[in-house]
PDB file of all heavy atoms in Angstrom:
ATOM      1  N   LEU A1409     -48.501  38.138  34.297  1.00 97.00           N
ATOM      2  CA  LEU A1409     -47.096  38.547  34.271  1.00 97.00           C
ATOM      3  C   LEU A1409     -46.706  39.311  35.551  1.00 97.00           C
ATOM      4  O   LEU A1409     -45.558  39.647  35.713  1.00 97.00           O
ATOM      5  CB  LEU A1409     -46.800  39.449  33.066  1.00 97.00           C
ATOM      6  CG  LEU A1409     -47.050  38.939  31.658  1.00 97.00           C
ATOM      7  CD1 LEU A1409     -46.481  39.934  30.639  1.00 97.00           C
ATOM      8  CD2 LEU A1409     -46.437  37.584  31.427  1.00 97.00           C
ATOM      9  N   GLU A1463     -61.739  34.582  27.544  1.00 98.00           N
ATOM     10  CA  GLU A1463     -62.573  33.649  28.291  1.00 98.00           C
ATOM     11  C   GLU A1463     -64.063  33.994  28.120  1.00 98.00           C
ATOM     12  O   GLU A1463     -64.891  33.102  27.891  1.00 98.00           O
ATOM     13  CB  GLU A1463     -62.161  33.692  29.775  1.00 98.00           C
ATOM     14  CG  GLU A1463     -62.817  32.659  30.647  1.00 98.00           C
ATOM     15  CD  GLU A1463     -62.404  31.217  30.308  1.00 98.00           C
ATOM     16  OE1 GLU A1463     -61.301  31.022  29.766  1.00 98.00           O
ATOM     17  OE2 GLU A1463     -63.211  30.306  30.581  1.00 98.00           O
ATOM     18  N   GLU A1470     -69.292  29.036  23.240  1.00 98.00           N
ATOM     19  CA  GLU A1470     -69.741  27.732  23.752  1.00 98.00           C
ATOM     20  C   GLU A1470     -71.223  27.745  24.104  1.00 98.00           C
ATOM     21  O   GLU A1470     -71.916  26.753  23.903  1.00 98.00           O
ATOM     22  CB  GLU A1470     -68.882  27.321  24.959  1.00 98.00           C
ATOM     23  CG  GLU A1470     -67.465  26.911  24.558  1.00 98.00           C
ATOM     24  CD  GLU A1470     -66.564  26.572  25.749  1.00 98.00           C
ATOM     25  OE1 GLU A1470     -66.864  27.028  26.868  1.00 98.00           O
ATOM     26  OE2 GLU A1470     -65.574  25.894  25.529  1.00 98.00           O
ATOM     27  N   MET A1490     -51.089  43.416  25.515  1.00 97.00           N
ATOM     28  CA  MET A1490     -49.660  43.267  25.818  1.00 97.00           C
ATOM     29  C   MET A1490     -49.387  42.928  27.288  1.00 97.00           C
ATOM     30  O   MET A1490     -48.535  42.089  27.579  1.00 97.00           O
ATOM     31  CB  MET A1490     -48.945  44.561  25.472  1.00 97.00           C
ATOM     32  CG  MET A1490     -48.901  44.881  24.009  1.00 97.00           C
ATOM     33  SD  MET A1490     -48.076  43.563  23.112  1.00 97.00           S
ATOM     34  CE  MET A1490     -49.114  43.454  21.656  1.00 97.00           C
ATOM     35  N   GLY A1493     -49.111  39.358  28.161  1.00 97.00           N
ATOM     36  CA  GLY A1493     -48.097  38.566  27.453  1.00 97.00           C
ATOM     37  C   GLY A1493     -48.667  37.381  26.686  1.00 97.00           C
ATOM     38  O   GLY A1493     -49.686  37.461  26.018  1.00 97.00           O
ATOM     39  N   LEU A1497     -51.917  35.916  23.811  1.00 98.00           N
ATOM     40  CA  LEU A1497     -51.736  35.264  22.510  1.00 98.00           C
ATOM     41  C   LEU A1497     -52.553  33.979  22.430  1.00 98.00           C
ATOM     42  O   LEU A1497     -53.186  33.677  21.427  1.00 98.00           O
ATOM     43  CB  LEU A1497     -50.250  34.948  22.269  1.00 98.00           C
ATOM     44  CG  LEU A1497     -49.886  34.522  20.833  1.00 98.00           C
ATOM     45  CD1 LEU A1497     -50.012  35.695  19.883  1.00 98.00           C
ATOM     46  CD2 LEU A1497     -48.479  33.946  20.764  1.00 98.00           C
ATOM     47  N   GLN A1499     -55.262  33.290  23.771  1.00 98.00           N
ATOM     48  CA  GLN A1499     -56.715  33.528  23.631  1.00 98.00           C
ATOM     49  C   GLN A1499     -57.150  33.455  22.173  1.00 98.00           C
ATOM     50  O   GLN A1499     -58.291  33.142  21.858  1.00 98.00           O
ATOM     51  CB  GLN A1499     -57.121  34.874  24.245  1.00 98.00           C
ATOM     52  CG  GLN A1499     -56.706  35.069  25.701  1.00 98.00           C
ATOM     53  CD  GLN A1499     -57.096  33.909  26.583  1.00 98.00           C
ATOM     54  OE1 GLN A1499     -58.232  33.467  26.582  1.00 98.00           O
ATOM     55  NE2 GLN A1499     -56.129  33.412  27.369  1.00 98.00           N
ATOM     56  N   LYS A1502     -57.656  29.857  21.593  1.00 98.00           N
ATOM     57  CA  LYS A1502     -58.816  29.408  22.376  1.00 98.00           C
ATOM     58  C   LYS A1502     -60.134  29.779  21.707  1.00 98.00           C
ATOM     59  O   LYS A1502     -61.016  28.943  21.516  1.00 98.00           O
ATOM     60  CB  LYS A1502     -58.719  30.000  23.784  1.00 98.00           C
ATOM     61  CG  LYS A1502     -59.754  29.516  24.731  1.00 98.00           C
ATOM     62  CD  LYS A1502     -59.303  29.757  26.152  1.00 98.00           C
ATOM     63  CE  LYS A1502     -59.888  31.046  26.689  1.00 98.00           C
ATOM     64  NZ  LYS A1502     -59.470  31.300  28.083  1.00 98.00           N
ATOM     65  N   SER A1505     -60.613  27.968  18.350  1.00 98.00           N
ATOM     66  CA  SER A1505     -60.967  26.547  18.551  1.00 98.00           C
ATOM     67  C   SER A1505     -62.456  26.424  18.906  1.00 98.00           C
ATOM     68  O   SER A1505     -63.116  25.508  18.441  1.00 98.00           O
ATOM     69  CB  SER A1505     -60.161  25.929  19.677  1.00 98.00           C
ATOM     70  OG  SER A1505     -58.786  26.101  19.452  1.00 98.00           O
ATOM     71  N   ALA A1506     -62.929  27.335  19.740  1.00 98.00           N
ATOM     72  CA  ALA A1506     -64.353  27.298  20.128  1.00 98.00           C
ATOM     73  C   ALA A1506     -65.217  27.533  18.896  1.00 98.00           C
ATOM     74  O   ALA A1506     -66.270  26.911  18.731  1.00 98.00           O
ATOM     75  CB  ALA A1506     -64.624  28.341  21.202  1.00 98.00           C
ATOM     76  N   ALA A1508     -64.434  26.714  15.880  1.00 98.00           N
ATOM     77  CA  ALA A1508     -64.378  25.487  15.062  1.00 98.00           C
ATOM     78  C   ALA A1508     -65.473  24.537  15.497  1.00 98.00           C
ATOM     79  O   ALA A1508     -66.115  23.896  14.656  1.00 98.00           O
ATOM     80  CB  ALA A1508     -63.000  24.832  15.205  1.00 98.00           C
ATOM     81  N   LYS A1509     -65.699  24.469  16.795  1.00 98.00           N
ATOM     82  CA  LYS A1509     -66.788  23.592  17.311  1.00 98.00           C
ATOM     83  C   LYS A1509     -68.151  24.098  16.916  1.00 98.00           C
ATOM     84  O   LYS A1509     -69.040  23.327  16.587  1.00 98.00           O
ATOM     85  CB  LYS A1509     -66.685  23.503  18.824  1.00 98.00           C
ATOM     86  CG  LYS A1509     -65.622  22.550  19.336  1.00 98.00           C
ATOM     87  CD  LYS A1509     -65.850  22.311  20.803  1.00 98.00           C
ATOM     88  CE  LYS A1509     -65.161  21.037  21.268  1.00 98.00           C
ATOM     89  NZ  LYS A1509     -65.505  20.726  22.641  1.00 98.00           N
ATOM     90  N   LYS A1512     -68.741  23.157  13.406  1.00 97.00           N
ATOM     91  CA  LYS A1512     -69.045  21.742  13.287  1.00 97.00           C
ATOM     92  C   LYS A1512     -70.504  21.477  13.637  1.00 97.00           C
ATOM     93  O   LYS A1512     -71.144  20.604  13.058  1.00 97.00           O
ATOM     94  CB  LYS A1512     -68.127  20.939  14.209  1.00 97.00           C
ATOM     95  CG  LYS A1512     -67.123  20.096  13.474  1.00 97.00           C
ATOM     96  CD  LYS A1512     -66.417  19.203  14.439  1.00 97.00           C
ATOM     97  CE  LYS A1512     -65.923  17.940  13.756  1.00 97.00           C
ATOM     98  NZ  LYS A1512     -65.121  17.135  14.696  1.00 97.00           N
ATOM     99  N   ALA A1531     -56.765  38.519  13.670  1.00 98.00           N
ATOM    100  CA  ALA A1531     -56.156  37.215  13.362  1.00 98.00           C
ATOM    101  C   ALA A1531     -56.774  36.091  14.138  1.00 98.00           C
ATOM    102  O   ALA A1531     -56.186  35.028  14.316  1.00 98.00           O
ATOM    103  CB  ALA A1531     -54.659  37.290  13.593  1.00 98.00           C
ATOM    104  N   SER A1532     -57.978  36.303  14.668  1.00 98.00           N
ATOM    105  CA  SER A1532     -58.708  35.170  15.268  1.00 98.00           C
ATOM    106  C   SER A1532     -60.195  35.344  14.969  1.00 98.00           C
ATOM    107  O   SER A1532     -60.572  35.404  13.804  1.00 98.00           O
ATOM    108  CB  SER A1532     -58.370  35.034  16.766  1.00 98.00           C
ATOM    109  OG  SER A1532     -58.741  36.193  17.491  1.00 98.00           O
ATOM    110  N   GLY A1549     -57.443  45.581  10.025  1.00 98.00           N
ATOM    111  CA  GLY A1549     -56.195  45.016   9.493  1.00 98.00           C
ATOM    112  C   GLY A1549     -55.519  44.134  10.516  1.00 98.00           C
ATOM    113  O   GLY A1549     -55.967  44.035  11.672  1.00 98.00           O
ATOM    114  N   PHE A1550     -54.454  43.522  10.117  1.00 97.00           N
ATOM    115  CA  PHE A1550     -53.648  42.731  11.055  1.00 97.00           C
ATOM    116  C   PHE A1550     -52.603  43.654  11.687  1.00 97.00           C
ATOM    117  O   PHE A1550     -52.656  44.021  12.829  1.00 97.00           O
ATOM    118  CB  PHE A1550     -53.034  41.516  10.360  1.00 97.00           C
ATOM    119  CG  PHE A1550     -52.080  40.773  11.275  1.00 97.00           C
ATOM    120  CD1 PHE A1550     -52.547  40.152  12.420  1.00 97.00           C
ATOM    121  CD2 PHE A1550     -50.727  40.684  10.973  1.00 97.00           C
ATOM    122  CE1 PHE A1550     -51.684  39.456  13.258  1.00 97.00           C
ATOM    123  CE2 PHE A1550     -49.861  39.984  11.813  1.00 97.00           C
ATOM    124  CZ  PHE A1550     -50.334  39.373  12.967  1.00 97.00           C
ATOM    125  N   ALA A1551     -51.654  44.096  10.884  1.00 96.00           N
ATOM    126  CA  ALA A1551     -50.633  45.025  11.371  1.00 96.00           C
ATOM    127  C   ALA A1551     -51.219  46.427  11.384  1.00 96.00           C
ATOM    128  O   ALA A1551     -52.015  46.783  10.512  1.00 96.00           O
ATOM    129  CB  ALA A1551     -49.419  44.953  10.476  1.00 96.00           C
ATOM    130  N   GLN A1569     -56.631  49.613   4.326  1.00 97.00           N
ATOM    131  CA  GLN A1569     -57.185  48.929   5.494  1.00 97.00           C
ATOM    132  C   GLN A1569     -58.526  49.479   5.972  1.00 97.00           C
ATOM    133  O   GLN A1569     -58.917  49.289   7.112  1.00 97.00           O
ATOM    134  CB  GLN A1569     -56.197  48.977   6.668  1.00 97.00           C
ATOM    135  CG  GLN A1569     -54.893  48.242   6.381  1.00 97.00           C
ATOM    136  CD  GLN A1569     -53.973  48.240   7.580  1.00 97.00           C
ATOM    137  OE1 GLN A1569     -53.671  49.306   8.122  1.00 97.00           O
ATOM    138  NE2 GLN A1569     -53.506  47.111   7.998  1.00 97.00           N
ATOM    139  N   PHE A1573     -61.819  49.013   1.528  1.00 98.00           N
ATOM    140  CA  PHE A1573     -60.642  48.329   1.008  1.00 98.00           C
ATOM    141  C   PHE A1573     -60.770  46.807   1.206  1.00 98.00           C
ATOM    142  O   PHE A1573     -60.492  46.023   0.291  1.00 98.00           O
ATOM    143  CB  PHE A1573     -59.409  48.895   1.764  1.00 98.00           C
ATOM    144  CG  PHE A1573     -58.118  48.163   1.526  1.00 98.00           C
ATOM    145  CD1 PHE A1573     -57.248  48.598   0.526  1.00 98.00           C
ATOM    146  CD2 PHE A1573     -57.743  47.092   2.328  1.00 98.00           C
ATOM    147  CE1 PHE A1573     -56.017  47.956   0.336  1.00 98.00           C
ATOM    148  CE2 PHE A1573     -56.508  46.460   2.127  1.00 98.00           C
ATOM    149  CZ  PHE A1573     -55.678  46.886   1.133  1.00 98.00           C
ATOM    150  N   PHE A1579     -62.472  40.367   1.677  1.00 98.00           N
ATOM    151  CA  PHE A1579     -62.389  39.846   3.033  1.00 98.00           C
ATOM    152  C   PHE A1579     -63.601  40.118   3.909  1.00 98.00           C
ATOM    153  O   PHE A1579     -63.644  39.666   5.046  1.00 98.00           O
ATOM    154  CB  PHE A1579     -61.090  40.314   3.688  1.00 98.00           C
ATOM    155  CG  PHE A1579     -59.913  39.584   3.103  1.00 98.00           C
ATOM    156  CD1 PHE A1579     -59.120  40.189   2.135  1.00 98.00           C
ATOM    157  CD2 PHE A1579     -59.668  38.269   3.460  1.00 98.00           C
ATOM    158  CE1 PHE A1579     -58.072  39.497   1.541  1.00 98.00           C
ATOM    159  CE2 PHE A1579     -58.624  37.570   2.871  1.00 98.00           C
ATOM    160  CZ  PHE A1579     -57.819  38.189   1.911  1.00 98.00           C
TER     161      PHE A1579
ATOM    162  N   PRO B1181     -45.502  42.397   8.254  1.00 96.00           N
ATOM    163  CA  PRO B1181     -46.439  43.538   8.228  1.00 96.00           C
ATOM    164  C   PRO B1181     -46.282  44.392   6.979  1.00 96.00           C
ATOM    165  O   PRO B1181     -45.879  45.549   7.067  1.00 96.00           O
ATOM    166  CB  PRO B1181     -46.059  44.326   9.485  1.00 96.00           C
ATOM    167  CG  PRO B1181     -44.610  44.011   9.721  1.00 96.00           C
ATOM    168  CD  PRO B1181     -44.279  42.711   9.007  1.00 96.00           C
ATOM    169  N   GLU B1186     -51.413  42.581   3.915  1.00 98.00           N
ATOM    170  CA  GLU B1186     -52.719  43.085   4.317  1.00 98.00           C
ATOM    171  C   GLU B1186     -53.745  42.886   3.206  1.00 98.00           C
ATOM    172  O   GLU B1186     -54.877  42.502   3.458  1.00 98.00           O
ATOM    173  CB  GLU B1186     -52.631  44.581   4.723  1.00 98.00           C
ATOM    174  CG  GLU B1186     -51.808  44.853   5.953  1.00 98.00           C
ATOM    175  CD  GLU B1186     -52.419  44.294   7.237  1.00 98.00           C
ATOM    176  OE1 GLU B1186     -53.642  44.393   7.396  1.00 98.00           O
ATOM    177  OE2 GLU B1186     -51.688  43.739   8.069  1.00 98.00           O
ATOM    178  N   GLU B1187     -53.305  43.175   1.992  1.00 98.00           N
ATOM    179  CA  GLU B1187     -54.226  43.056   0.840  1.00 98.00           C
ATOM    180  C   GLU B1187     -54.676  41.610   0.673  1.00 98.00           C
ATOM    181  O   GLU B1187     -55.788  41.353   0.190  1.00 98.00           O
ATOM    182  CB  GLU B1187     -53.520  43.520  -0.448  1.00 98.00           C
ATOM    183  CG  GLU B1187     -53.430  45.016  -0.576  1.00 98.00           C
ATOM    184  CD  GLU B1187     -52.432  45.500  -1.597  1.00 98.00           C
ATOM    185  OE1 GLU B1187     -51.660  44.664  -2.127  1.00 98.00           O
ATOM    186  OE2 GLU B1187     -52.392  46.695  -1.878  1.00 98.00           O
ATOM    187  N   ARG B1188     -53.818  40.677   1.021  1.00 98.00           N
ATOM    188  CA  ARG B1188     -54.163  39.272   0.841  1.00 98.00           C
ATOM    189  C   ARG B1188     -54.689  38.610   2.126  1.00 98.00           C
ATOM    190  O   ARG B1188     -54.851  37.414   2.205  1.00 98.00           O
ATOM    191  CB  ARG B1188     -52.957  38.502   0.302  1.00 98.00           C
ATOM    192  CG  ARG B1188     -52.482  39.016  -1.066  1.00 98.00           C
ATOM    193  CD  ARG B1188     -51.491  38.113  -1.734  1.00 98.00           C
ATOM    194  NE  ARG B1188     -50.204  38.043  -1.044  1.00 98.00           N
ATOM    195  CZ  ARG B1188     -49.226  38.938  -1.149  1.00 98.00           C
ATOM    196  NH1 ARG B1188     -49.363  39.974  -1.932  1.00 98.00           N
ATOM    197  NH2 ARG B1188     -48.097  38.777  -0.489  1.00 98.00           N
ATOM    198  N   GLY B1189     -54.924  39.436   3.148  1.00 98.00           N
ATOM    199  CA  GLY B1189     -55.607  38.922   4.341  1.00 98.00           C
ATOM    200  C   GLY B1189     -54.729  38.192   5.332  1.00 98.00           C
ATOM    201  O   GLY B1189     -54.990  37.027   5.643  1.00 98.00           O
ATOM    202  N   GLN B1190     -53.706  38.870   5.829  1.00 98.00           N
ATOM    203  CA  GLN B1190     -52.826  38.246   6.827  1.00 98.00           C
ATOM    204  C   GLN B1190     -53.618  37.765   8.030  1.00 98.00           C
ATOM    205  O   GLN B1190     -53.436  36.654   8.522  1.00 98.00           O
ATOM    206  CB  GLN B1190     -51.766  39.258   7.247  1.00 98.00           C
ATOM    207  CG  GLN B1190     -50.663  38.730   8.109  1.00 98.00           C
ATOM    208  CD  GLN B1190     -49.690  37.839   7.375  1.00 98.00           C
ATOM    209  OE1 GLN B1190     -49.998  36.703   7.027  1.00 98.00           O
ATOM    210  NE2 GLN B1190     -48.487  38.340   7.153  1.00 98.00           N
ATOM    211  N   GLY B1191     -54.516  38.600   8.505  1.00 98.00           N
ATOM    212  CA  GLY B1191     -55.321  38.257   9.681  1.00 98.00           C
ATOM    213  C   GLY B1191     -56.167  37.036   9.421  1.00 98.00           C
ATOM    214  O   GLY B1191     -56.249  36.126  10.246  1.00 98.00           O
ATOM    215  N   ALA B1195     -56.000  33.414  11.345  1.00 98.00           N
ATOM    216  CA  ALA B1195     -57.201  32.971  12.021  1.00 98.00           C
ATOM    217  C   ALA B1195     -57.667  31.604  11.499  1.00 98.00           C
ATOM    218  O   ALA B1195     -58.008  30.717  12.263  1.00 98.00           O
ATOM    219  CB  ALA B1195     -58.305  34.013  11.826  1.00 98.00           C
ATOM    220  N   SER B1202     -57.120  23.334  15.162  1.00 98.00           N
ATOM    221  CA  SER B1202     -57.763  22.832  16.389  1.00 98.00           C
ATOM    222  C   SER B1202     -58.594  21.570  16.114  1.00 98.00           C
ATOM    223  O   SER B1202     -58.894  20.836  17.033  1.00 98.00           O
ATOM    224  CB  SER B1202     -58.626  23.915  17.020  1.00 98.00           C
ATOM    225  OG  SER B1202     -59.823  24.076  16.297  1.00 98.00           O
ATOM    226  N   GLN B1203     -58.939  21.342  14.857  1.00 98.00           N
ATOM    227  CA  GLN B1203     -59.818  20.222  14.537  1.00 98.00           C
ATOM    228  C   GLN B1203     -59.126  19.105  13.730  1.00 98.00           C
ATOM    229  O   GLN B1203     -59.765  18.123  13.387  1.00 98.00           O
ATOM    230  CB  GLN B1203     -61.027  20.712  13.725  1.00 98.00           C
ATOM    231  CG  GLN B1203     -62.033  21.520  14.549  1.00 98.00           C
ATOM    232  CD  GLN B1203     -62.840  20.670  15.516  1.00 98.00           C
ATOM    233  OE1 GLN B1203     -63.184  19.552  15.237  1.00 98.00           O
ATOM    234  NE2 GLN B1203     -63.107  21.224  16.699  1.00 98.00           N
ATOM    235  N   LEU B1222     -47.975  31.566  16.360  1.00 98.00           N
ATOM    236  CA  LEU B1222     -49.113  30.741  16.790  1.00 98.00           C
ATOM    237  C   LEU B1222     -49.803  30.096  15.591  1.00 98.00           C
ATOM    238  O   LEU B1222     -50.361  28.993  15.737  1.00 98.00           O
ATOM    239  CB  LEU B1222     -50.098  31.629  17.556  1.00 98.00           C
ATOM    240  CG  LEU B1222     -51.309  30.938  18.196  1.00 98.00           C
ATOM    241  CD1 LEU B1222     -50.864  29.959  19.281  1.00 98.00           C
ATOM    242  CD2 LEU B1222     -52.300  31.954  18.760  1.00 98.00           C
ATOM    243  N   ILE B1240     -45.821  37.328  22.841  1.00 97.00           N
ATOM    244  CA  ILE B1240     -46.905  38.018  22.165  1.00 97.00           C
ATOM    245  C   ILE B1240     -46.403  38.977  21.105  1.00 97.00           C
ATOM    246  O   ILE B1240     -47.121  39.289  20.150  1.00 97.00           O
ATOM    247  CB  ILE B1240     -47.711  38.776  23.232  1.00 97.00           C
ATOM    248  CG1 ILE B1240     -48.972  39.386  22.620  1.00 97.00           C
ATOM    249  CG2 ILE B1240     -46.911  39.854  23.929  1.00 97.00           C
ATOM    250  CD1 ILE B1240     -50.013  39.728  23.643  1.00 97.00           C
ATOM    251  N   PHE B1246     -42.832  45.274  22.247  1.00 94.00           N
ATOM    252  CA  PHE B1246     -43.450  45.324  23.576  1.00 94.00           C
ATOM    253  C   PHE B1246     -43.008  46.588  24.296  1.00 94.00           C
ATOM    254  O   PHE B1246     -43.821  47.338  24.854  1.00 94.00           O
ATOM    255  CB  PHE B1246     -43.012  44.078  24.354  1.00 94.00           C
ATOM    256  CG  PHE B1246     -43.695  43.857  25.674  1.00 94.00           C
ATOM    257  CD1 PHE B1246     -44.888  43.130  25.748  1.00 94.00           C
ATOM    258  CD2 PHE B1246     -43.133  44.332  26.861  1.00 94.00           C
ATOM    259  CE1 PHE B1246     -45.499  42.895  26.966  1.00 94.00           C
ATOM    260  CE2 PHE B1246     -43.752  44.094  28.075  1.00 94.00           C
ATOM    261  CZ  PHE B1246     -44.931  43.369  28.135  1.00 94.00           C
ATOM    262  N   LEU B1250     -45.493  49.496  25.509  1.00 93.00           N
ATOM    263  CA  LEU B1250     -45.786  49.658  26.939  1.00 93.00           C
ATOM    264  C   LEU B1250     -44.863  50.652  27.668  1.00 93.00           C
ATOM    265  O   LEU B1250     -45.249  51.269  28.640  1.00 93.00           O
ATOM    266  CB  LEU B1250     -45.759  48.319  27.656  1.00 93.00           C
ATOM    267  CG  LEU B1250     -46.967  47.405  27.327  1.00 93.00           C
ATOM    268  CD1 LEU B1250     -46.858  46.114  28.081  1.00 93.00           C
ATOM    269  CD2 LEU B1250     -48.290  48.087  27.620  1.00 93.00           C
ATOM    270  N   MET B1264     -41.721  40.324  30.039  1.00 96.00           N
ATOM    271  CA  MET B1264     -42.685  39.582  29.217  1.00 96.00           C
ATOM    272  C   MET B1264     -42.843  38.115  29.634  1.00 96.00           C
ATOM    273  O   MET B1264     -43.803  37.465  29.250  1.00 96.00           O
ATOM    274  CB  MET B1264     -42.215  39.561  27.750  1.00 96.00           C
ATOM    275  CG  MET B1264     -42.295  40.861  27.068  1.00 96.00           C
ATOM    276  SD  MET B1264     -41.397  40.767  25.500  1.00 96.00           S
ATOM    277  CE  MET B1264     -42.719  40.227  24.454  1.00 96.00           C
ATOM    278  N   LYS B1265     -41.859  37.609  30.352  1.00 97.00           N
ATOM    279  CA  LYS B1265     -41.848  36.207  30.775  1.00 97.00           C
ATOM    280  C   LYS B1265     -42.065  35.277  29.559  1.00 97.00           C
ATOM    281  O   LYS B1265     -43.083  34.612  29.425  1.00 97.00           O
ATOM    282  CB  LYS B1265     -42.899  35.943  31.851  1.00 97.00           C
ATOM    283  CG  LYS B1265     -42.694  36.792  33.088  1.00 97.00           C
ATOM    284  CD  LYS B1265     -43.431  36.209  34.299  1.00 97.00           C
ATOM    285  CE  LYS B1265     -43.081  36.887  35.601  1.00 97.00           C
ATOM    286  NZ  LYS B1265     -43.705  38.213  35.787  1.00 97.00           N
ATOM    287  N   GLU B1320     -60.365  16.401  21.133  1.00 98.00           N
ATOM    288  CA  GLU B1320     -60.939  16.877  22.401  1.00 98.00           C
ATOM    289  C   GLU B1320     -59.864  17.297  23.378  1.00 98.00           C
ATOM    290  O   GLU B1320     -59.969  18.339  24.027  1.00 98.00           O
ATOM    291  CB  GLU B1320     -61.846  15.763  22.987  1.00 98.00           C
ATOM    292  CG  GLU B1320     -62.981  16.227  23.855  1.00 98.00           C
ATOM    293  CD  GLU B1320     -63.672  17.511  23.397  1.00 98.00           C
ATOM    294  OE1 GLU B1320     -64.148  17.638  22.229  1.00 98.00           O
ATOM    295  OE2 GLU B1320     -63.729  18.460  24.223  1.00 98.00           O
ATOM    296  N   TYR B1323     -58.426  20.557  22.313  1.00 98.00           N
ATOM    297  CA  TYR B1323     -59.350  21.663  22.658  1.00 98.00           C
ATOM    298  C   TYR B1323     -59.174  22.039  24.130  1.00 98.00           C
ATOM    299  O   TYR B1323     -59.023  23.210  24.458  1.00 98.00           O
ATOM    300  CB  TYR B1323     -60.799  21.240  22.405  1.00 98.00           C
ATOM    301  CG  TYR B1323     -61.783  22.355  22.599  1.00 98.00           C
ATOM    302  CD1 TYR B1323     -61.972  23.335  21.600  1.00 98.00           C
ATOM    303  CD2 TYR B1323     -62.508  22.506  23.788  1.00 98.00           C
ATOM    304  CE1 TYR B1323     -62.844  24.396  21.783  1.00 98.00           C
ATOM    305  CE2 TYR B1323     -63.384  23.567  23.970  1.00 98.00           C
ATOM    306  CZ  TYR B1323     -63.542  24.476  22.968  1.00 98.00           C
ATOM    307  OH  TYR B1323     -64.420  25.538  23.148  1.00 98.00           O
ATOM    308  N   PHE B1326     -55.973  24.117  25.034  1.00 97.00           N
ATOM    309  CA  PHE B1326     -56.009  25.559  24.795  1.00 97.00           C
ATOM    310  C   PHE B1326     -57.143  26.231  25.577  1.00 97.00           C
ATOM    311  O   PHE B1326     -57.053  27.393  25.941  1.00 97.00           O
ATOM    312  CB  PHE B1326     -56.109  25.868  23.290  1.00 97.00           C
ATOM    313  CG  PHE B1326     -54.798  25.651  22.589  1.00 97.00           C
ATOM    314  CD1 PHE B1326     -54.437  24.401  22.110  1.00 97.00           C
ATOM    315  CD2 PHE B1326     -53.889  26.692  22.474  1.00 97.00           C
ATOM    316  CE1 PHE B1326     -53.199  24.189  21.499  1.00 97.00           C
ATOM    317  CE2 PHE B1326     -52.663  26.509  21.870  1.00 97.00           C
ATOM    318  CZ  PHE B1326     -52.306  25.248  21.375  1.00 97.00           C
ATOM    319  N   ARG B1327     -58.195  25.454  25.844  1.00 97.00           N
ATOM    320  CA  ARG B1327     -59.330  25.995  26.558  1.00 97.00           C
ATOM    321  C   ARG B1327     -58.932  26.439  27.959  1.00 97.00           C
ATOM    322  O   ARG B1327     -59.494  27.408  28.510  1.00 97.00           O
ATOM    323  CB  ARG B1327     -60.421  24.900  26.660  1.00 97.00           C
ATOM    324  CG  ARG B1327     -61.689  25.311  27.353  1.00 97.00           C
ATOM    325  CD  ARG B1327     -62.427  26.301  26.495  1.00 97.00           C
ATOM    326  NE  ARG B1327     -63.587  26.869  27.148  1.00 97.00           N
ATOM    327  CZ  ARG B1327     -63.540  27.909  27.984  1.00 97.00           C
ATOM    328  NH1 ARG B1327     -62.388  28.457  28.294  1.00 97.00           N
ATOM    329  NH2 ARG B1327     -64.634  28.403  28.514  1.00 97.00           N
ATOM    330  N   MET B1329     -55.989  27.536  28.942  1.00 90.00           N
ATOM    331  CA  MET B1329     -54.888  28.520  29.024  1.00 90.00           C
ATOM    332  C   MET B1329     -55.489  29.902  29.315  1.00 90.00           C
ATOM    333  O   MET B1329     -55.927  30.616  28.433  1.00 90.00           O
ATOM    334  CB  MET B1329     -54.145  28.566  27.702  1.00 90.00           C
ATOM    335  CG  MET B1329     -53.256  27.367  27.457  1.00 90.00           C
ATOM    336  SD  MET B1329     -52.417  27.496  25.874  1.00 90.00           S
ATOM    337  CE  MET B1329     -51.690  25.851  25.753  1.00 90.00           C
TER     338      MET B1329
END
Side-chain angles (χ1 to χ4, degrees):
Chain A
L1409 301 189
E1463 188 65 26
E1470 288 177 338
M1490 292 301 140
L1497 191 71
Q1499 305 310 310
K1502 186 160 95 180
S1505 305
K1509 280 193 160 186
K1512 249 188 153 175
S1532 61
F1550 174 63
Q1569 297 182 307
F1573 172 92
F1579 287 100
Chain B
E1186 293 293 319
E1187 283 164 351
R1188 299 192 293 278
Q1190 188 73 287
S1202 75
Q1203 289 288 324
L1222 185 65
I1240 186 161
F1246 188 88
L1250 289 181
M1264 290 169 89
K1265 301 199 171 76
E1320 208 37 55
Y1323 186 80
F1326 284 87
R1327 182 69 187 83
M1329 286 180 189

